Amino acid sequence: MTTPVTIIGAGLGGLVLSRVLHVYGIPSTVYEAESSPSARTQGGLLDIRDYNGQPALETAGLTEEFRELVLEGRQAMRLLDRDGNVLLGLPDDGTGGNPEVQRGELRQMLLDSLPAGTVRWDHKVSGVRALGDGRHEVAFANGTAATTSLLVGADGAWSRVRPLLSGATPEYTGLSFIETHLFDGDNRHPTSAKTVGGGAMMVLEPGKGILAHRERGGNLHTWVMLSRPQDWFADIDFTDPAAAIAQIVREFDGWAPELTALVTDGETAPALRTIYTLPIEHRWDRTPGVTLLGDAAHLSAPNGEGANLALCDGAELGKAIAAHSDDIETALTEYEQAMFVRSAASNAEAPDLQVMLGDGTPHNLINAFTGS
């Protein structure tokens, strides 16, 4: 194959695609809007699943490197009530199939696996246009442009490539997260660290909840979950962290102080994460020379599947291109038809956050975990 693949977005999916192509000897270039690998934090823990995410990393030839990133014991889970009582505790006995790693470390592992210069930083897409015969021109905000015969949109929820294929736009789910961190929890926040336990902790009531993870170094990563309209969050002044925290924590009046401390003691400014989705059955007609993967193709609410599906998409697309390097349209057709089915089934079966925070919570979640 003589035409390099142009990938927009240096997230997990785009990087796995580039890595798999490299394994097969196919060149690619990844364009990323961020100025450097360390331009921003890369999220929290990811459970890399044994049926999609891990096979993708195996295809990329990175299983050994991945295993070195796994945080032991983090598959433990605790479900508490608002008084801090443990309703359900599931230990990590070492037999789980979804080992936890830090997203930022996984991304760096993928970056390190690519030839120098593969990723072009500080290339924010300002426009994409079709040139005919499957060729496209991508314009960047820095004044440069790239022309390609094979364009892959791996650029997330607000993909600039997606409009070439689909008129779908993400819609608000009615749910938003507020993210905070406590650092060195065991030494600096021992009560909070004990409350979270060895892995994940959840406290859920109708319309609201608190989720926390123990990350590397005992850091505690917390998400407040609130089912509220977007206007409700628009009235919070996030430029004043103390006032924002005070307004958010009022929604948890009466909850145990060791739970609300995960929010009030936060050592980073509260960050709003508004949750959007694309339709579960999102798909498009085959359009020459361009395709999508990951959130650009099948954005869903956080359910443990998003990163794994992106890894799987990247690996499967890379294999399809390698298998049909002389007939790219066949490669893209094969990839898309399988991806549409895979992503729809996975997201339909994954836990629904709105159900988790519905009238039956937390008992419906306990029943799901225990099979009762």
Side-chain angles (χ1 to χ4, degrees), residues 46-47 49 51-53 98 295 298 300-312 342-343 345-351:
L46 297 174
D47 51 335
R49 312 246 160 125
Y51 53 85
N52 51 14
N98 306 319
D295 284 350
H298 43 70
S300 67
N303 57 23
E305 289 294 321
N308 285 282
L309 285 174
L311 292 169
C312 184
R342 178 174 63 246
S343 61
S346 180
N347 286 326
E349 294 170 4

Side-chain angles (χ1 to χ4, degrees), residues 311-328:
L311 292 169
C312 184
D313 288 352
E316 293 301 308
L317 178 54
K319 288 194 296 184
I321 292 170
H324 303 285
S325 58
D326 58 347
D327 186 355
I328 292 305

